[in-house]
Amino acid sequence: MALDSEGGYKQNNTIYSQIFAKRRQLTGTLTSPSLPALPLPTLPFELIEEILARLPVKLLLQLRCACKSWNFLISNTKFHKKHLSLSTTHTLHCVSYSFKYVLKSYPLDSLFTNVTTTDIGQLKHSLCNVSLVGSCNGILCLAVYYVGSALIQFRLWNPSIRKLKELPPDKNSRDRLPLRGIMMYGFGYDVVNDNYKVVSVLRACECISGNFVKKDEVKVHTLGANSWKRIPMFPFAVVPIQKSGQCVSGTINWLVSKDTEKSQCFILSLDMRKDSYQKVFLPNDGKVDGCSLHLSVFRDCLTVFCGDDVWVMKEYGNNESWTKLFTILYRPAFMKAIYVFKDEQVLLKPTEDWAGDYIFNNCRDGTSKSIDFENTPEVCVESLISPCP
């Protein structure tokens, strides 16, 4: 639907003008001294809400101009949550660099046909490094690392509605600290408190009386707050296999091991409501090569790739609910599976010691397609949820 300069819909060559013309034709034919004109049928507002909740975001943003009642409905946070619960459109996003950082969008429906990308925004200047932390309910979390500085800034961005929120920096962190850096991080939704949180795990190494002393800390930022809160550190020493955590059921989950040999692996879970930790054991007690493991999310369930096997935890926290979904038929030795989509389609990523394209593999028919991503992509659902409280 086209919009005029004043924000209203053009009446010429639109479906509305056709409807009005058809109505005049019908009422003109049926009108007589004894037969009044037939009014157009109207839908209950509850039914209109059900219809609108199933429309794509781009169209809904345009329909806010239709009338005041529609604008009020589409702008309501309760409607945003309802639309999210019914949303089936997913897009794959990847950060690309060419003199400036650009977030590119890949429609999932085109991955096995002709891949088309859309530049959906620039990410500031080139004197920084930008990476994707994760996504939750349509919001992407990005970490910006400034060159020559230990300062890291997090940004929340909903690419569907183009809303950006820059989180305040940690006032207690020092701008320059060469021996300090983020070890692990995560972004998720606190279901109980109805809020979004960013978690950063910082490892500090300071020289005290000639000795280097490790000082690790975990900090949490709640969306809408003006500062970061420090919470207790992990109750046990771990080595991260994946730096970015996965959000499921109000928790952030990291794939870790007990030692650098990655012989005993498990999932470290942080409850965002209680700020407490627990161990979640992997299928087969995690007695597999850590290099072949990868933690992900599929249909709101924790998912683990163990070599060629794809496992899903149907009931979060219940180790007995691990169920094998399928086995990947084609996986080169230098590739690691990192995402699973519908119809047994998986995304394979080159291992750290191998340079090459990503591969989309259809495990049902064995077909595959290579795509040149510059960085690990992130799958994000389309939503109206705003990162700006």
Side-chain angles (χ1 to χ4, degrees):
M1 296 181 222
L3 292 173
D4 61 20
S5 59
E6 297 180 356
Y9 291 104
K10 295 180 180 178
Q11 296 300 317
N12 295 329
N13 299 322
T14 66
I15 189 171
Y16 290 112
S17 60
Q18 296 175 16
I19 292 174
F20 293 147
K22 190 67 175 178
R23 181 176 184 269
R24 286 194 298 268
Q25 179 183 355
L26 290 174
T27 55
T29 302
L30 299 176
T31 301
S32 67
S34 60
L35 185 63
L38 296 177
L40 283 177
T42 58
L43 295 175
F45 191 76
E46 292 78 8
L47 183 56
I48 293 177
E49 180 180 354
E50 292 295 327
I51 296 174
L52 293 179
R54 289 163 172 80
L55 296 180
V57 170
K58 184 177 181 180
L59 179 57
L60 287 173
L61 297 180
Q62 296 174 340
L63 291 177
R64 289 181 303 180
C65 302
C67 60
K68 290 183 178 180
S69 61
W70 285 23
N71 178 52
F72 178 80
L73 173 65
I74 297 173
S75 303
N76 189 278
T77 55
K78 291 184 177 180
F79 179 80
H80 297 171
K81 294 179 180 179
K82 183 172 185 175
H83 178 270
L84 175 64
S85 67
L86 298 172
S87 180
T88 58
T89 302
H90 290 74
T91 307
L92 189 145
H93 301 283
C94 185
V95 175
S96 176
Y97 179 78
S98 179
F99 301 105
K100 59 189 176 184
Y101 284 93
V102 176
L103 192 63
K104 290 189 174 182
S105 172
Y106 297 79
L108 290 185
D109 294 339
S110 67
L111 292 178
F112 279 87
T113 55
N114 296 321
V115 176
T116 58
T117 66
T118 303
D119 295 348
I120 57 176
Q122 299 180 11
L123 304 177
K124 291 293 183 180
H125 48 73
S126 59
L127 297 178
C128 60
N129 183 22
V130 181
S131 64
L132 286 168
V133 173
S135 67
C136 183
N137 295 344
I139 301 176
L140 290 170
C141 180
L142 304 104
V144 181
Y145 305 79
Y146 290 91
V147 176
S149 171
L151 180 63
I152 300 172
Q153 185 180 31
F154 291 94
R155 298 174 184 173
L156 303 183
W157 191 2
N158 185 332
S160 299
I161 60 176
R162 297 177 181 265
K163 290 289 184 70
L164 175 68
K165 173 67 176 179
E166 294 188 2
L167 302 187
D170 182 5
K171 297 180 180 179
N172 296 323
S173 65
R174 279 169 281 184
D175 186 28
R176 296 182 182 274
L177 189 58
L179 297 179
R180 179 177 182 172
I182 281 192
M183 181 179 68
M184 298 156 64
Y185 36 68
F187 170 61
Y189 177 61
D190 182 353
V191 181
V192 176
N193 296 312
D194 188 22
N195 212 329
Y196 293 85
K197 296 183 177 182
V198 177
V199 181
S200 67
V201 182
L202 304 178
R203 170 167 290 176
C205 187
E206 297 182 353
C207 184
I208 301 177
S209 300
N211 298 318
F212 285 97
V213 179
K214 292 183 178 180
K215 291 188 176 181
D216 297 344
E217 60 184 19
V218 182
K219 292 188 176 181
V220 178
H221 179 83
T222 301
L223 188 60
N226 295 321
S227 61
W228 291 74
K229 179 183 71 171
R230 180 177 294 183
I231 65 174
M233 188 57 185
F234 306 147
F236 29 75
V238 296
V239 177
I241 298 178
Q242 287 178 232
K243 291 183 178 181
S244 182
Q246 303 293 325
C247 178
V248 175
S249 300
T251 65
I252 295 179
N253 303 266
W254 293 277
L255 186 61
V256 299
S257 65
K258 286 186 176 180
D259 52 50
T260 56
E261 298 298 327
K262 301 180 181 179
S263 58
Q264 184 67 36
C265 303
F266 60 93
I267 297 171
L268 174 63
S269 174
L270 168 64
D271 188 318
M272 287 184 287
R273 180 177 67 90
K274 301 177 181 179
D275 293 335
S276 60
Y277 305 95
Q278 68 168 330
K279 284 185 179 180
V280 178
F281 294 98
L282 296 170
N284 301 324
D285 295 327
K287 296 178 180 179
V288 293
D289 181 11
C291 296
S292 65
L293 288 172
H294 191 85
L295 187 65
S296 185
V297 176
F298 177 62
R299 292 178 178 172
D300 298 325
C301 293
L302 212 55
T303 306
V304 173
F305 297 92
C306 299
D308 295 332
D309 296 328
V310 183
W311 294 78
V312 62
M313 178 176 272
K314 293 187 174 181
E315 181 183 348
Y316 181 79
N318 182 4
N319 296 314
E320 301 298 326
S321 67
W322 281 114
T323 304
K324 184 189 292 187
L325 286 182
F326 58 90
T327 298
I328 302 173
L329 299 178
Y330 169 73
R331 185 183 68 87
F334 54 85
M335 304 293 290
K336 174 192 288 189
I338 59 173
Y339 283 116
V340 58
F341 306 103
K342 62 180 181 179
D343 300 328
E344 299 185 8
Q345 300 177 15
V346 296
L347 175 62
L348 304 176
K349 172 188 176 182
T351 55
E352 295 179 358
D353 55 350
W354 184 268
D357 293 343
Y358 287 72
I359 294 178
F360 284 95
N361 181 28
N362 190 324
C363 298
R364 289 189 174 182
D365 56 19
T367 59
S368 62
K369 182 180 181 65
S370 63
I371 299 180
D372 183 17
F373 292 130
E374 293 186 26
N375 297 287
T376 302
E378 181 73 25
V379 178
C380 188
V381 67
E382 185 181 81
S383 82
L384 291 162
I385 305 296
S386 175
C388 305

